Every structure is written in C-alpha cells, then in structure tokens.
Amino acid sequence: MRSLSRLLVAVALTVLAFGSILAGTSAYYGGEGGAGCGRCHEIRPAVEAWSHSSHRGVRCASCHGSSFSADVRMHARSLGRVLLHARGDVPEQIHIRHTEVAPLVERCAACHRQEHADWQSGPHGTPYAGLFVNPEQNANQQLIDDCLRCHAMHFEGGIAELVTPLDRKGPWTFVKPELAGVPAVPCLACHSIHRDGEPMPSRTRRDAITGPQQEIARPSLAFYDRRSLEGVGLEWLPLPAMAEGERLVRTSPDRRQALCYQCHAPRAGNQVFSGDDRTPVGVHEGLSCLVCHAKHGQTTRASCAACHPRLSNCGIDVETMDTTFKSSDSPHDIHRVACRDCHPKGVPSTRLGTRERAEPRAGG
C-alpha cells in the first residue's frame, strides 16, 4: 500500500512539474500573443520579419497556437523546443514542418473565410491521397520526386515515402494514411506570410480605390521552394517568353502569373501547351491567367460572362459556341481557340478580330 502511495505521489509530482514547465514556457515565450517568441535567437528573425509584414497586426499565437494549444502536434513541438534549449541543442534557423501546415491553413480561415472556402472547394485544395493515387494521372505521368516541387512541397521526404509502386501500371497505394487528408497545395504554397508589406485595407477602403491605384498583387505572394525551404517573392520569379512555333506569343504583363508558371510550366523551348503550360493564344492571347481563373477557387465558367457576348468579337454567347466551355469533348480548347476554328471558310470581315489580323496563328 505504501509503495502505491509513493507511486501516486511521484506521478502527481511529475504531472505538476510538467504543467509548471508548460505554464512557464507559455508565459515566457508566448507573452504578448506570442511576440515573446523572439526571445529565442533562432525565432527572432521570423519575429522581426513578421513585425514588418502585412500580418503584423495578427498575434503569433493566432496562427501558430501556444504551449496550451488544443493542437497536440503544436503542443508537442513547443515542449520539444524547450527540451532542446535545456540541453543546448539549439538550431540556427527553424522552418515549418509539413505536419504543421494543415493546422496553420485552418487558422487562415479565421480571417480569410471566403478565400479559404474557395480554395478548399477548388483543385488546389485536393488532399494528398486524392492526388497521388489518381489512376488517370499516374497512368499518364511518371511519379517522381519532382512532383513534390508543386504538390506536397512541405513534405520532407521523397515520393516513394508517399506512394507505391512508382510506375504507370498500378494499382497505387498511399503509404501514409495519416497524411491522406493533408492539402497538397496549401495556402503557404503561394503565400509567405512574413514578407514585407502593408496590411490589407478594410473592404470599404478597398472599394473606394479605383483605376491604377488598385492593388493587383498582395505582398505575401511567393512560391514556396522546397529546396531552400523559403518563399520566393514575385519580384524574383521570371515570366517566360512563350512561343508558338517560330512566333513569339504576346503574354500579359501581370506579375502574378509568374507564380502560376512555377508549376504550370512549359518544357524546354517554351512552346505553348507543352508540359503543363496553358498560355492562351488565338482570341484569348494576351489575357492574364487571372482574368478567367478565380484566384483561390480556380473557377472559370462565371468569368466568361464578363466578356461574352458584350465584348467579344463575334457577339455570340459563349455557351452556344463549339468550345471546351460547352463540352470537354470539343476539339476547340478554350485556351487556344481562334476565329478560323469556327469559321473554316473565312472570318467575316466585319467581325475579324484585331488579334487575328495583326498576328496570324502559326500554320494558318
């Protein structure tokens, strides 16, 4: 009986000590909504960057949780960092782990509800398992480590640690069921939250801004590079010079497309429609990706009504045209459809678009 009492006392003291450590570290490091995190030298650069970012009005704990966070993974890592400090094993720089990405993304929804809902319902919200064991995709594209450059870029391992077998025959099995629901292209793939920038104005103030004074790209836009473990800002991302045969294609100067091109990229030679490229030619040449593709949900069908039929060259409702908008089986892809595709006997002179006159399609 006495041994049992001693055991219970020991357990109680251990729990008390554990709670005291968590309470102390939460107060010390999580003070002022998490700004106290900067007391750790390896976190200080991130805190300093945050203080100049568009999110500087959002406390650290609002995105990263705290020592008493309901998220067990964040909780465990907080304690783990304390133990590392206690034994002097302190990293020079810290990075977000892939297991922390999903909780962070969920916290994005606290302020960006509509954007989060659009992203979640769109193709970029597809989870790991829905992407990496897709039979049609895997039969056409060989699974390689470079897939992780754009899908699951925060995952620290290789493609073989997620899917088996690595061939085009299948059947394919997702190796890590605990990661099956993790988003393959999370918010942090395109947004680096600690980048320099001004906070977003209120919706009322934004609606009052017109013309060229309107903001086009948010300062957080950056492509997450899994090799450097850092976000690369738009100013460092190139816009490729695209070609259709020997002809140089006119492309939109919209800098946001540089982000799209990191994954929807052409093969060597920069020919339109090679690789994963979807640079528009024909009647849509020169348009930005984001004219038609909603930023977060990637939905496109509603965008056609902005130009058709009122601003189109032919004045015909797009829903009646023989294009991939009407049917995915149409031979006229909406990214490259030209007037002559629907007018094989010649384009009526009164409706001949300036784009067709000035720059005839290759081979036309």
Side-chain angles (χ1 to χ4, degrees):
M1 190 69 178
R2 185 174 297 176
S3 299
L4 179 60
S5 298
R6 289 176 179 174
L7 178 61
L8 291 175
V9 169
V11 171
L13 289 174
T14 301
V15 171
L16 180 62
F18 183 76
S20 299
I21 291 173
L22 284 180
T25 55
S26 182
Y28 184 77
Y29 295 106
E32 302 175 5
C37 298
R39 296 188 179 101
C40 295
H41 78 273
E42 74 271 21
I43 306 180
R44 193 172 301 134
V47 175
E48 290 176 353
W50 160 81
S51 68
H52 296 93
S53 75
S54 59
H55 285 77
R56 56 181 176 265
V58 182
R59 294 185 173 189
C60 304
S62 297
C63 297
H64 296 282
S66 67
S67 296
F68 289 115
S69 171
D71 190 300
V72 176
R73 288 170 294 188
M74 290 286 191
H75 185 99
R77 193 178 182 196
S78 177
L79 179 60
R81 185 167 291 118
V82 174
L83 295 176
L84 287 175
H85 272 254
R87 71 185 189 190
D89 186 6
V90 183
E92 287 299 318
Q93 189 175 9
I94 61 170
H95 298 283
I96 292 173
R97 300 176 182 177
H98 78 277
T99 53
E100 298 167 348
V101 172
L104 283 169
V105 168
E106 287 304 312
R107 294 188 179 104
C108 293
C111 297
H112 306 284
R113 294 179 183 177
Q114 187 60 57
E115 292 85 352
H116 184 272
D118 291 343
W119 160 81
Q120 195 171 44
S121 62
H124 286 169
T126 303
Y128 279 22
L131 180 73
F132 291 122
V133 292
N134 183 303
E136 182 179 357
Q137 172 73 18
N138 292 354
N140 293 321
Q141 297 286 339
Q142 176 64 47
L143 287 164
I144 57 176
D145 282 339
D146 193 54
C147 296
L148 303 181
R149 179 172 53 84
C150 293
H151 307 288
M153 61 275 287
H154 291 88
F155 181 66
E156 293 92 349
I159 191 68
E161 297 175 57
L162 293 174
V163 189
T164 187
L166 297 183
D167 59 26
R168 296 192 185 184
K169 297 179 180 179
W172 298 273
T173 301
F174 193 72
V175 178
K176 293 183 177 291
E178 69 275 14
L179 300 180
V182 174
V185 187
C187 307
L188 301 178
C190 301
H191 293 277
S192 184
I193 308 305
H194 288 185
R195 282 177 52 79
D196 281 4
E198 293 300 314
M200 180 180 288
S202 66
R203 186 170 298 278
T204 302
R205 289 179 58 193
R206 294 202 304 272
D207 291 343
I209 302 173
T210 59
Q213 286 74 40
Q214 290 181 325
E215 183 182 62
I216 295 177
R218 281 266 78 203
S220 66
L221 287 179
F223 179 72
Y224 182 80
D225 177 37
R226 66 182 267 110
R227 294 163 295 186
S228 64
L229 305 179
E230 293 182 339
V232 182
L234 284 184
E235 66 273 20
W236 298 105
L237 298 176
L239 275 171
M242 300 301 299
E244 186 183 33
E246 298 296 323
R247 182 179 73 85
L248 187 65
V249 172
R250 182 174 65 254
T251 56
S252 168
D254 185 352
R255 287 293 308 166
R256 293 174 297 175
Q257 292 182 121
L259 196 58
C260 307
Y261 273 116
Q262 299 310 303
C263 294
H264 301 280
R267 295 194 180 98
N270 287 2
Q271 288 291 313
V272 293
F273 260 58
S274 64
D276 290 316
D277 176 70
R278 293 298 181 271
T279 300
V281 292
V283 296
H284 294 134
E285 183 171 327
L287 294 182
S288 165
C289 306
L290 290 119
V291 167
C292 302
H293 292 266
K295 291 181 289 187
H296 294 96
Q298 302 300 300
T299 53
T300 57
R301 297 186 71 82
S303 66
C304 296
C307 298
H308 294 272
R310 184 170 56 89
L311 299 178
S312 64
N313 289 328
C314 59
I316 301 176
D317 190 333
V318 67
E319 295 188 18
T320 67
M321 296 181 184
D322 181 17
T323 68
T324 50
F325 179 95
K326 182 179 180 180
S327 171
S328 59
D329 296 327
S330 173
H332 305 139
D333 191 292
I334 204 72
H335 292 90
R336 60 196 313 178
V337 63
C339 294
R340 64 175 58 87
D341 291 332
C342 297
H343 299 278
K345 296 182 179 180
V347 181
S349 58
T350 56
R351 290 295 185 182
L352 185 63
T354 56
R355 196 176 282 123
E356 291 282 324
R357 288 199 301 267
E359 298 186 28
R361 289 279 301 276

